[in-house]
Amino acid sequence: MQKKSLGLIVLTLMLVFSNDAFCQNPIIRTMFSADPSARIFGNKVYLYPSHDIVATETKGRKGWFCMEDYHVYSSENLTDWKDEGMIVTQNKVPWVMPDSYSMWAPDCIERNGKYYFYFPTAPKDTIVYGRGFRIGVAVADHPAGPFVPQPLPIQNVRGIDPNVFIDKDGQAYLYWSAGNIYGAKLKENMLELDSDVDTLGVLPTKGLKEGPYMFERKGIYYLTYPHVENKIERLEYATGSHPLGPFAFAGVIMDESPTGCWTNHHSILPFNNQWYLFYHHNDYSPAFDKARSVRIDSLFFNEDGSIKKVTPTLRGVGTTDASQKIQIDRYNQLSDQGSSIESIDTLDRFKGWKTILSSKAAWVQYNSVDFGKKPRKKIIVNSMSASGGTLEVHTQGINGPLIAEVKINPGKSWAITESRLLQSSPGIQHLFITLKDNRSVDIDWISFE
Ligand code: FUB
Protein backbone atom coordinates (compact mmCIF):
# COMPACT_ATOMS: atom_id res chain seq x y z
CA MET A 1 0.00 0.00 0.00
CA GLN A 2 1.30 3.46 -0.82
CA LYS A 3 2.53 5.58 2.09
CA LYS A 4 0.03 8.34 1.27
CA SER A 5 -3.06 6.12 1.34
CA LEU A 6 -1.87 4.37 4.51
CA GLY A 7 -1.51 7.81 6.10
CA LEU A 8 -5.02 8.71 4.99
CA ILE A 9 -6.45 5.52 6.49
CA VAL A 10 -4.66 6.11 9.80
CA LEU A 11 -5.89 9.69 9.86
CA THR A 12 -9.45 8.63 9.10
CA LEU A 13 -9.37 6.02 11.88
CA MET A 14 -7.96 8.57 14.32
CA LEU A 15 -10.72 11.01 13.49
CA VAL A 16 -13.44 8.37 13.66
CA PHE A 17 -12.31 6.87 16.96
CA SER A 18 -10.88 9.93 18.70
CA ASN A 19 -12.60 11.25 21.81
CA ASP A 20 -14.26 14.27 20.25
CA ALA A 21 -14.52 17.50 22.13
CA PHE A 22 -18.01 18.79 21.77
CA CYS A 23 -18.19 22.35 22.83
CA GLN A 24 -21.05 22.98 20.49
CA ASN A 25 -24.73 22.61 21.27
CA PRO A 26 -26.11 20.21 22.25
CA ILE A 27 -23.32 19.07 24.56
CA ILE A 28 -24.47 15.49 25.25
CA ARG A 29 -24.48 13.63 21.96
CA THR A 30 -25.13 10.01 22.82
CA MET A 31 -28.52 10.17 24.53
CA PHE A 32 -31.24 12.66 25.38
CA SER A 33 -30.58 14.91 28.38
CA ALA A 34 -32.79 17.61 29.90
CA ASP A 35 -33.30 19.87 32.94
CA PRO A 36 -29.56 20.45 33.48
CA SER A 37 -28.30 21.25 36.93
CA ALA A 38 -24.61 22.11 36.71
CA ARG A 39 -22.42 22.28 39.80
CA ILE A 40 -18.74 22.88 40.46
CA PHE A 41 -17.21 20.24 42.72
CA GLY A 42 -13.43 20.46 43.07
CA ASN A 43 -11.95 21.57 39.76
CA LYS A 44 -14.70 20.03 37.63
CA VAL A 45 -18.17 20.93 36.50
CA TYR A 46 -20.66 18.13 37.16
CA LEU A 47 -23.87 18.04 35.20
CA TYR A 48 -26.96 16.37 36.65
CA PRO A 49 -29.62 16.30 33.93
CA SER A 50 -32.82 14.33 33.52
CA HIS A 51 -32.56 11.48 31.05
CA ASP A 52 -35.39 11.50 28.52
CA ILE A 53 -36.18 8.28 26.71
CA VAL A 54 -38.99 7.74 24.24
CA ALA A 55 -41.98 5.85 25.66
CA THR A 56 -43.17 2.69 23.94
CA GLU A 57 -46.28 0.49 24.39
CA THR A 58 -44.61 -1.14 27.40
CA LYS A 59 -42.49 1.71 28.74
CA GLY A 60 -44.05 4.84 30.18
CA ARG A 61 -46.87 6.80 28.56
CA LYS A 62 -46.61 7.42 24.84
CA GLY A 63 -46.40 11.07 23.86
CA TRP A 64 -45.38 12.14 27.38
CA PHE A 65 -42.17 12.55 29.39
CA CYS A 66 -40.52 9.20 30.00
CA MET A 67 -37.52 8.99 32.34
CA GLU A 68 -36.28 5.98 34.27
CA ASP A 69 -32.86 6.97 35.59
CA TYR A 70 -30.19 9.64 35.92
CA HIS A 71 -26.64 9.87 34.58
CA VAL A 72 -24.03 12.35 35.75
CA TYR A 73 -21.47 13.97 33.45
CA SER A 74 -18.25 15.76 34.30
CA SER A 75 -15.99 18.21 32.51
CA GLU A 76 -12.87 20.19 33.30
CA ASN A 77 -13.39 22.69 30.52
CA LEU A 78 -17.09 22.67 29.52
CA THR A 79 -16.09 21.19 26.17
CA ASP A 80 -15.14 17.58 26.89
CA TRP A 81 -17.94 15.83 28.79
CA LYS A 82 -17.53 12.42 30.35
CA ASP A 83 -20.53 10.25 31.13
CA GLU A 84 -19.76 9.06 34.67
CA GLY A 85 -22.58 6.55 34.45
CA MET A 86 -26.03 5.96 35.84
CA ILE A 87 -26.44 7.10 39.45
CA VAL A 88 -30.08 6.53 40.42
CA THR A 89 -32.73 4.40 38.75
CA GLN A 90 -36.47 4.23 39.40
CA ASN A 91 -36.82 0.63 40.59
CA LYS A 92 -33.99 0.79 43.11
CA VAL A 93 -35.50 3.54 45.27
CA PRO A 94 -37.62 2.00 48.05
CA TRP A 95 -40.45 4.56 48.01
CA VAL A 96 -40.81 4.95 44.24
CA MET A 97 -43.65 3.45 42.21
CA PRO A 98 -42.10 0.77 39.98
CA ASP A 99 -41.98 1.55 36.29
CA SER A 100 -43.38 5.04 36.79
CA TYR A 101 -40.85 6.55 34.32
CA SER A 102 -41.17 9.87 36.13
CA MET A 103 -37.62 10.66 37.23
CA TRP A 104 -37.95 14.38 36.45
CA ALA A 105 -35.59 17.33 36.93
CA PRO A 106 -32.95 16.73 39.67
CA ASP A 107 -30.32 18.75 41.52
CA CYS A 108 -27.22 17.93 43.54
CA ILE A 109 -25.25 19.79 46.20
CA GLU A 110 -22.26 19.18 48.45
CA ARG A 111 -22.21 19.66 52.20
CA ASN A 112 -19.40 18.59 54.54
CA GLY A 113 -17.94 16.18 51.99
CA LYS A 114 -21.25 14.45 51.19
CA TYR A 115 -23.16 14.87 47.95
CA TYR A 116 -26.94 15.13 48.13
CA PHE A 117 -28.85 14.29 44.97
CA TYR A 118 -32.50 15.48 44.97
CA PHE A 119 -34.98 14.02 42.53
CA PRO A 120 -38.76 14.18 42.05
CA THR A 121 -40.84 11.18 41.12
CA ALA A 122 -44.07 9.27 41.76
CA PRO A 123 -44.39 7.43 45.10
CA LYS A 124 -45.70 3.89 45.21
CA ASP A 125 -47.80 4.36 48.34
CA THR A 126 -50.49 6.76 47.18
CA ILE A 127 -52.49 6.23 50.39
CA VAL A 128 -49.64 7.66 52.48
CA TYR A 129 -48.31 10.17 49.97
CA GLY A 130 -51.30 10.94 47.77
CA ARG A 131 -51.05 11.12 44.01
CA GLY A 132 -48.50 13.28 42.29
CA PHE A 133 -44.83 13.87 42.82
CA ARG A 134 -42.64 13.65 45.92
CA ILE A 135 -38.99 14.57 46.23
CA GLY A 136 -36.35 12.11 47.41
CA VAL A 137 -32.66 12.37 48.23
CA ALA A 138 -29.76 10.02 47.51
CA VAL A 139 -26.42 10.53 49.26
CA ALA A 140 -22.87 9.82 48.10
CA ASP A 141 -19.25 10.42 49.10
CA HIS A 142 -18.30 11.43 45.56
CA PRO A 143 -20.10 13.65 43.01
CA ALA A 144 -20.41 10.70 40.64
CA GLY A 145 -21.67 8.31 43.29
CA PRO A 146 -22.39 5.63 44.21
CA PHE A 147 -25.54 7.32 45.56
CA VAL A 148 -27.63 5.62 48.23
CA PRO A 149 -31.30 6.62 48.11
CA GLN A 150 -33.02 7.50 51.38
CA PRO A 151 -35.83 5.08 52.23
CA LEU A 152 -38.53 7.79 52.25
CA PRO A 153 -39.14 11.05 50.37
CA ILE A 154 -38.73 14.42 52.13
CA GLN A 155 -41.67 15.07 54.45
CA ASN A 156 -44.04 17.98 53.71
CA VAL A 157 -42.78 18.45 50.17
CA ARG A 158 -45.07 17.79 47.22
CA GLY A 159 -43.96 18.75 43.78
CA ILE A 160 -41.22 18.62 41.19
CA ASP A 161 -37.97 20.31 40.16
CA PRO A 162 -36.01 20.43 43.44
CA ASN A 163 -33.23 22.98 43.71
CA VAL A 164 -30.94 23.45 46.69
CA PHE A 165 -29.03 26.55 47.67
CA ILE A 166 -26.59 27.01 50.57
CA ASP A 167 -26.22 30.61 51.65
CA LYS A 168 -22.99 32.24 52.83
CA ASP A 169 -24.04 31.72 56.46
CA GLY A 170 -24.34 27.95 55.87
CA GLN A 171 -28.14 27.82 55.87
CA ALA A 172 -29.46 25.50 53.17
CA TYR A 173 -32.74 26.05 51.35
CA LEU A 174 -34.86 23.73 49.23
CA TYR A 175 -36.93 25.14 46.37
CA TRP A 176 -39.38 23.21 44.26
CA SER A 177 -42.45 23.75 42.09
CA ALA A 178 -46.01 22.64 41.82
CA GLY A 179 -47.55 25.27 39.55
CA ASN A 180 -46.03 27.95 41.77
CA ILE A 181 -42.59 28.00 43.33
CA TYR A 182 -42.08 27.03 46.95
CA GLY A 183 -39.15 27.31 49.31
CA ALA A 184 -38.18 26.25 52.82
CA LYS A 185 -35.12 25.97 55.03
CA LEU A 186 -33.35 22.62 55.16
CA LYS A 187 -31.89 21.13 58.30
CA GLU A 188 -28.13 20.64 58.59
CA ASN A 189 -28.70 16.97 57.62
CA MET A 190 -30.00 18.18 54.20
CA LEU A 191 -32.78 15.57 54.40
CA GLU A 192 -35.55 17.37 56.29
CA LEU A 193 -37.27 20.76 56.17
CA ASP A 194 -36.46 23.15 58.98
CA SER A 195 -39.23 25.68 58.45
CA ASP A 196 -42.73 26.12 57.14
CA VAL A 197 -43.09 26.14 53.38
CA ASP A 198 -43.17 29.59 51.74
CA THR A 199 -44.95 30.20 48.46
CA LEU A 200 -42.67 32.54 46.60
CA GLY A 201 -45.64 34.42 45.28
CA VAL A 202 -44.48 37.84 44.20
CA LEU A 203 -43.63 36.26 40.85
CA PRO A 204 -46.00 36.53 37.90
CA THR A 205 -49.30 35.13 39.17
CA LYS A 206 -50.61 33.85 35.83
CA GLY A 207 -49.13 30.91 33.96
CA LEU A 208 -47.20 27.85 35.08
CA LYS A 209 -43.92 28.46 36.86
CA GLU A 210 -41.51 25.62 37.56
CA GLY A 211 -37.83 24.64 37.58
CA PRO A 212 -36.57 27.11 40.24
CA TYR A 213 -32.84 27.75 40.34
CA MET A 214 -31.44 30.07 43.01
CA PHE A 215 -28.04 31.72 43.04
CA GLU A 216 -26.45 34.71 44.74
CA ARG A 217 -24.15 37.31 43.20
CA LYS A 218 -22.86 40.46 44.90
CA GLY A 219 -25.54 40.28 47.60
CA ILE A 220 -28.44 39.86 45.14
CA TYR A 221 -30.44 36.62 45.34
CA TYR A 222 -31.61 35.53 41.91
CA LEU A 223 -34.64 33.28 41.81
CA THR A 224 -34.69 32.06 38.22
CA TYR A 225 -37.45 29.89 36.74
CA PRO A 226 -39.24 28.86 33.51
CA HIS A 227 -42.65 30.52 33.17
CA VAL A 228 -45.47 30.23 30.65
CA GLU A 229 -46.17 33.91 30.00
CA ASN A 230 -47.67 33.18 26.58
CA LYS A 231 -47.98 29.64 25.21
CA ILE A 232 -44.74 27.89 26.09
CA GLU A 233 -42.00 28.36 28.66
CA ARG A 234 -39.40 31.09 28.72
CA LEU A 235 -36.72 31.63 31.35
CA GLU A 236 -37.32 34.51 33.75
CA TYR A 237 -35.88 35.76 36.98
CA ALA A 238 -36.79 37.70 40.08
CA THR A 239 -34.42 39.27 42.58
CA GLY A 240 -34.47 39.82 46.31
CA SER A 241 -32.19 40.37 49.27
CA HIS A 242 -32.95 37.12 51.09
CA PRO A 243 -33.06 33.49 49.84
CA LEU A 244 -36.77 33.26 50.60
CA GLY A 245 -37.59 36.69 49.24
CA PRO A 246 -39.63 38.73 48.88
CA PHE A 247 -38.68 38.72 45.21
CA ALA A 248 -39.54 41.21 42.50
CA PHE A 249 -39.82 40.16 38.88
CA ALA A 250 -36.66 41.36 37.12
CA GLY A 251 -36.76 40.16 33.53
CA VAL A 252 -36.47 37.47 30.90
CA ILE A 253 -33.28 35.42 30.62
CA MET A 254 -34.20 33.50 27.47
CA ASP A 255 -37.21 33.89 25.20
CA GLU A 256 -39.48 31.02 24.18
CA SER A 257 -37.98 28.43 21.83
CA PRO A 258 -38.31 29.67 18.24
CA THR A 259 -39.20 26.13 17.16
CA GLY A 260 -41.77 25.51 19.87
CA CYS A 261 -40.04 23.24 22.40
CA TRP A 262 -42.63 23.62 25.20
CA THR A 263 -40.31 23.30 28.19
CA ASN A 264 -37.09 24.97 29.10
CA HIS A 265 -35.17 24.32 32.31
CA HIS A 266 -31.84 25.68 33.36
CA SER A 267 -29.06 26.32 35.83
CA ILE A 268 -26.58 29.18 36.01
CA LEU A 269 -23.01 29.18 37.29
CA PRO A 270 -19.71 31.02 37.07
CA PHE A 271 -16.72 28.98 35.91
CA ASN A 272 -13.23 30.39 35.27
CA ASN A 273 -14.47 34.00 35.40
CA GLN A 274 -17.38 33.54 33.00
CA TRP A 275 -21.05 32.92 33.79
CA TYR A 276 -22.88 30.21 31.89
CA LEU A 277 -26.49 29.27 31.28
CA PHE A 278 -27.21 25.55 30.98
CA TYR A 279 -30.64 24.90 29.40
CA HIS A 280 -32.29 22.44 27.08
CA HIS A 281 -33.81 22.21 23.62
CA ASN A 282 -35.13 19.33 21.51
CA ASP A 283 -32.22 19.38 19.01
CA TYR A 284 -32.17 15.62 18.36
CA SER A 285 -35.95 15.28 18.32
CA PRO A 286 -37.42 18.11 16.27
CA ALA A 287 -40.85 16.46 15.99
CA PHE A 288 -41.24 15.53 19.69
CA ASP A 289 -40.37 18.09 22.35
CA LYS A 290 -40.20 15.67 25.29
CA ALA A 291 -36.89 14.24 24.12
CA ARG A 292 -34.52 17.07 24.87
CA SER A 293 -30.82 17.86 24.91
CA VAL A 294 -28.66 20.05 27.13
CA ARG A 295 -27.04 23.19 25.77
CA ILE A 296 -24.69 25.81 27.21
CA ASP A 297 -24.38 29.48 26.33
CA SER A 298 -22.52 32.34 27.98
CA LEU A 299 -24.45 34.67 30.26
CA PHE A 300 -23.60 38.26 31.07
CA PHE A 301 -24.69 40.79 33.69
CA ASN A 302 -25.24 44.52 33.37
CA GLU A 303 -23.49 46.86 35.81
CA ASP A 304 -26.65 47.07 37.93
CA GLY A 305 -26.77 43.28 38.36
CA SER A 306 -29.54 42.69 35.85
CA ILE A 307 -29.08 39.72 33.51
CA LYS A 308 -28.59 40.34 29.78
CA LYS A 309 -30.97 38.23 27.73
CA VAL A 310 -29.25 35.13 26.34
CA THR A 311 -29.73 34.30 22.68
CA PRO A 312 -29.54 30.54 22.18
CA THR A 313 -26.75 29.44 19.86
CA LEU A 314 -25.65 26.24 18.17
CA ARG A 315 -21.99 27.21 18.52
CA GLY A 316 -22.21 27.07 22.30
CA VAL A 317 -19.14 27.97 24.33
CA GLY A 318 -15.39 27.55 24.34
CA THR A 319 -12.82 27.11 21.63
CA THR A 320 -12.53 24.18 19.24
CA ASP A 321 -9.11 22.65 18.69
CA ALA A 322 -8.23 23.02 14.98
CA SER A 323 -7.06 19.41 14.82
CA GLN A 324 -10.41 18.00 15.90
CA LYS A 325 -13.42 17.39 13.71
CA ILE A 326 -14.95 20.85 13.57
CA GLN A 327 -18.70 20.46 13.21
CA ILE A 328 -19.36 23.63 11.26
CA ASP A 329 -23.10 22.86 11.26
CA ARG A 330 -22.93 24.23 14.85
CA TYR A 331 -22.27 27.58 13.23
CA ASN A 332 -22.23 31.18 14.41
CA GLN A 333 -23.80 32.50 11.24
CA LEU A 334 -25.08 31.24 7.90
CA SER A 335 -25.53 33.19 4.67
CA ASP A 336 -29.16 34.18 3.99
CA GLN A 337 -29.15 32.27 0.72
CA GLY A 338 -27.85 28.94 -0.46
CA SER A 339 -26.95 27.48 2.94
CA SER A 340 -28.80 25.12 5.23
CA ILE A 341 -28.31 22.56 8.00
CA GLU A 342 -29.84 19.08 7.88
CA SER A 343 -29.60 15.89 9.92
CA ILE A 344 -27.11 13.42 8.44
CA ASP A 345 -29.59 10.60 9.02
CA THR A 346 -33.19 11.39 9.96
CA LEU A 347 -33.59 7.80 11.23
CA ASP A 348 -30.71 8.29 13.66
CA ARG A 349 -30.44 11.94 14.57
CA PHE A 350 -27.56 11.28 16.98
CA LYS A 351 -25.38 11.00 13.88
CA GLY A 352 -25.49 14.78 13.90
CA TRP A 353 -25.84 17.34 11.17
CA LYS A 354 -24.32 18.47 7.90
CA THR A 355 -23.93 21.91 6.34
CA ILE A 356 -25.22 22.25 2.78
CA LEU A 357 -23.79 25.03 0.64
CA SER A 358 -25.75 25.02 -2.60
CA SER A 359 -25.28 28.29 -4.43
CA LYS A 360 -22.33 30.46 -5.36
CA ALA A 361 -20.99 32.54 -2.46
CA ALA A 362 -23.12 30.75 0.16
CA TRP A 363 -21.17 30.65 3.43
CA VAL A 364 -21.04 29.42 6.98
CA GLN A 365 -19.15 31.11 9.81
CA TYR A 366 -17.65 29.12 12.69
CA ASN A 367 -15.87 31.08 15.42
CA SER A 368 -13.09 30.44 17.92
CA VAL A 369 -11.01 27.69 16.40
CA ASP A 370 -7.71 27.28 18.24
CA PHE A 371 -4.81 26.78 15.82
CA GLY A 372 -2.28 26.62 18.64
CA LYS A 373 1.29 27.84 18.18
CA LYS A 374 2.60 25.80 15.25
CA PRO A 375 1.56 26.60 11.69
CA ARG A 376 -0.80 24.04 10.14
CA LYS A 377 -0.09 22.51 6.77
CA LYS A 378 -3.35 21.08 5.51
CA ILE A 379 -7.10 21.09 5.78
CA ILE A 380 -9.13 17.88 5.81
CA VAL A 381 -12.79 18.02 4.75
CA ASN A 382 -15.35 15.24 5.10
CA SER A 383 -17.91 16.04 2.43
CA MET A 384 -20.12 14.74 -0.34
CA SER A 385 -20.97 16.39 -3.64
CA ALA A 386 -22.73 14.73 -6.59
CA SER A 387 -21.32 17.30 -8.99
CA GLY A 388 -18.06 18.03 -7.24
CA GLY A 389 -17.49 21.59 -6.04
CA THR A 390 -14.97 24.01 -4.61
CA LEU A 391 -14.84 25.43 -1.11
CA GLU A 392 -12.86 28.45 -0.02
CA VAL A 393 -11.84 28.94 3.59
CA HIS A 394 -11.17 32.43 4.87
CA THR A 395 -10.32 33.68 8.34
CA GLN A 396 -11.27 36.95 10.05
CA GLY A 397 -14.13 37.70 7.66
CA ILE A 398 -15.83 36.59 4.47
CA ASN A 399 -13.27 38.66 2.58
CA GLY A 400 -10.46 38.00 5.06
CA PRO A 401 -7.28 36.07 4.26
CA LEU A 402 -7.89 33.01 2.04
CA ILE A 403 -6.27 30.07 3.81
CA ALA A 404 -7.46 27.19 1.63
CA GLU A 405 -9.18 26.25 -1.58
CA VAL A 406 -10.57 22.71 -1.45
CA LYS A 407 -11.66 20.94 -4.63
CA ILE A 408 -14.19 18.23 -3.79
CA ASN A 409 -14.39 15.37 -6.29
CA PRO A 410 -17.80 14.24 -7.53
CA GLY A 411 -19.17 11.32 -5.50
CA LYS A 412 -22.25 9.79 -3.92
CA SER A 413 -20.86 9.03 -0.48
CA TRP A 414 -18.93 10.82 2.26
CA ALA A 415 -15.27 11.21 1.33
CA ILE A 416 -12.25 12.86 2.85
CA THR A 417 -10.42 15.51 0.83
CA GLU A 418 -7.09 16.94 1.88
CA SER A 419 -5.69 20.26 0.63
CA ARG A 420 -2.56 22.18 1.44
CA LEU A 421 -3.13 25.40 3.35
CA LEU A 422 -2.18 28.57 1.48
CA GLN A 423 -1.27 30.20 4.79
CA SER A 424 -1.70 29.50 8.47
CA SER A 425 -1.82 31.81 11.47
CA PRO A 426 -1.49 30.69 15.07
CA GLY A 427 -4.02 31.30 17.84
CA ILE A 428 -7.78 31.65 17.78
CA GLN A 429 -9.33 32.14 14.35
CA HIS A 430 -12.88 32.59 13.09
CA LEU A 431 -13.53 30.52 9.96
CA PHE A 432 -15.66 31.40 6.93
CA ILE A 433 -16.32 28.53 4.52
CA THR A 434 -17.69 29.66 1.16
CA LEU A 435 -18.90 27.84 -1.95
CA LYS A 436 -16.96 29.08 -4.96
CA ASP A 437 -19.48 28.21 -7.65
CA ASN A 438 -22.98 26.80 -7.99
CA ARG A 439 -22.05 23.13 -7.49
CA SER A 440 -23.61 22.07 -4.18
CA VAL A 441 -21.46 20.51 -1.42
CA ASP A 442 -22.60 18.77 1.79
CA ILE A 443 -20.02 19.15 4.58
CA ASP A 444 -19.91 16.89 7.61
CA TRP A 445 -16.82 18.34 9.30
CA ILE A 446 -13.46 19.96 8.63
CA SER A 447 -10.15 19.66 10.43
CA PHE A 448 -6.59 21.03 10.26
CA GLU A 449 -3.21 19.29 10.50
O1 FUB B 1 -38.42 17.06 32.57
C1 FUB B 1 -39.74 16.99 33.04
C2 FUB B 1 -40.24 18.34 33.36
O2 FUB B 1 -40.20 19.17 32.22
C3 FUB B 1 -39.39 19.08 34.35
O3 FUB B 1 -39.52 18.64 35.64
C4 FUB B 1 -39.83 20.47 34.07
O4 FUB B 1 -39.05 21.45 34.65
C5 FUB B 1 -39.82 20.49 32.58
O5 FUB B 1 -38.54 20.71 32.07
Side-chain angles (χ1 to χ4, degrees):
M1 192 178 301
Q2 283 194 346
K3 219 169 144 195
K4 196 174 166 200
S5 38
L6 181 65
L8 196 58
I9 290 171
V10 171
L11 171 78
T12 310
L13 288 173
M14 274 167 54
L15 289 167
V16 169
F17 294 110
S18 67
N19 183 13
D20 298 309
F22 294 132
C23 42
Q24 309 101 342
N25 286 326
I27 59 164
I28 307 296
R29 299 188 163 201
T30 49
M31 61 173 82
F32 296 118
S33 55
D35 307 326
S37 179
R39 297 285 181 195
I40 299 172
F41 296 137
N43 60 351
K44 288 189 189 171
V45 178
Y46 284 84
L47 178 69
Y48 299 87
S50 307
H51 177 198
D52 289 340
I53 54 176
V54 177
T56 61
E57 295 300 341
T58 53
K59 257 189 181 186
R61 176 172 143 203
K62 277 185 121 182
W64 189 238
F65 300 105
C66 184
M67 294 113 114
E68 64 184 327
D69 59 19
Y70 299 99
H71 283 236
V72 58
Y73 300 83
S74 68
S75 174
E76 285 177 4
N77 55 13
L78 298 184
T79 60
D80 305 276
W81 288 94
K82 178 177 175 211
D83 183 351
E84 301 266 3
M86 196 267 287
I87 49 168
V88 173
T89 183
Q90 61 180 5
N91 295 344
K92 297 234 167 100
V93 183
W95 59 271
V96 172
M97 186 196 295
D99 295 332
S100 40
Y101 294 96
S102 301
M103 308 296 269
W104 286 17
D107 195 8
C108 188
I109 205 150
E110 185 267 342
R111 177 165 212 138
N112 298 332
K114 296 259 179 226
Y115 297 84
Y116 297 86
F117 180 74
Y118 297 79
F119 57 97
T121 193
K124 75 174 136 199
D125 191 340
T126 49
I127 296 178
V128 175
Y129 296 117
R131 294 174 91 70
F133 282 74
R134 291 291 181 139
I135 292 174
V137 192
V139 186
D141 292 326
H142 185 273
F147 280 91
V148 179
Q150 293 294 297
L152 299 174
I154 305 175
Q155 274 194 10
N156 298 331
V157 177
R158 280 171 178 276
I160 59 171
D161 296 353
N163 164 241
V164 183
F165 170 72
I166 302 179
D167 203 3
K168 285 177 286 199
D169 62 4
Q171 177 64 56
Y173 297 85
L174 177 69
Y175 303 88
W176 67 95
S177 60
N180 277 311
I181 292 176
Y182 301 89
K185 285 184 180 174
L186 272 175
K187 286 190 180 162
E188 180 82 19
N189 68 12
M190 303 300 276
L191 305 171
E192 294 166 274
L193 296 193
D194 199 17
S195 71
D196 290 339
V197 173
D198 275 5
T199 306
L200 306 180
V202 194
L203 307 175
T205 47
K206 275 205 265 161
L208 177 80
K209 295 174 285 292
E210 54 182 7
Y213 185 84
M214 165 66 66
F215 67 94
E216 182 269 343
R217 180 182 176 268
K218 296 188 179 173
I220 301 176
Y221 293 83
Y222 293 80
L223 177 62
T224 66
Y225 53 90
H227 171 226
V228 184
E229 169 69 17
N230 300 302
K231 288 190 174 153
I232 62 174
E233 290 180 342
R234 66 183 191 185
L235 302 180
E236 297 179 359
Y237 72 110
T239 52
S241 52
H242 183 272
L244 291 176
F247 295 101
F249 174 77
V252 175
I253 302 171
M254 179 174 276
D255 285 328
E256 291 91 344
S257 149
T259 57
C261 183
W262 202 95
T263 63
N264 202 348
H265 188 119
H266 67 296
S267 53
I268 293 172
L269 94 181
F271 183 62
N272 292 341
N273 302 318
Q274 173 63 52
W275 284 79
Y276 295 99
L277 174 71
F278 290 70
Y279 62 102
H280 70 218
H281 189 65
N282 56 330
D283 294 86
Y284 286 123
S285 173
F288 179 56
D289 66 357
K290 289 165 187 65
R292 302 153 294 176
S293 294
V294 173
R295 292 175 165 203
I296 314 177
D297 274 304
S298 300
L299 178 139
F300 299 91
F301 292 86
N302 292 306
E303 276 296 307
D304 63 1
S306 56
I307 297 177
K308 292 188 181 176
K309 208 187 258 188
V310 179
T311 303
T313 75
L314 296 175
R315 177 62 187 82
V317 301
T319 56
T320 305
D321 189 320
S323 51
Q324 288 178 331
K325 287 190 247 183
I326 307 170
Q327 308 286 345
I328 55 172
D329 48 76
R330 308 294 86 194
Y331 62 88
N332 288 86
Q333 248 190 295
L334 273 183
S335 57
D336 288 341
Q337 285 176 358
S339 59
S340 60
I341 305 297
E342 282 181 15
S343 284
I344 285 182
D345 180 352
T346 51
L347 298 177
D348 180 4
R349 298 216 183 243
F350 287 102
K351 285 190 179 150
W353 296 268
K354 59 184 177 182
T355 307
I356 304 173
L357 298 180
S358 56
S359 62
K360 185 172 174 172
W363 53 269
V364 55
Q365 175 184 353
Y366 186 98
N367 285 354
S368 304
V369 177
D370 189 354
F371 281 76
K373 292 190 180 135
K374 279 197 244 147
R376 308 285 167 143
K377 295 206 169 82
K378 60 183 170 188
I379 180 171
I380 301 142
V381 178
N382 190 30
S383 63
M384 177 160 53
S385 171
S387 55
T390 303
L391 301 172
E392 283 184 350
V393 183
H394 295 256
T395 54
Q396 294 174 28
I398 266 289
N399 297 315
L402 176 68
I403 65 163
E405 187 167 290
V406 187
K407 290 199 165 45
I408 311 291
N409 289 329
K412 292 201 171 129
S413 53
W414 292 108
I416 287 183
T417 308
E418 293 188 4
S419 271
R420 294 218 79 71
L421 289 185
L422 304 171
Q423 53 180 303
S424 168
S425 302
I428 308 288
Q429 307 286 338
H430 298 339
L431 300 180
F432 296 78
I433 297 99
T434 309
L435 189 68
K436 200 168 175 193
D437 50 34
N438 274 314
R439 293 174 303 149
S440 181
V441 177
D442 292 8
I443 306 158
D444 183 5
W445 49 262
I446 66 174
S447 185
F448 296 87
E449 247 191 22

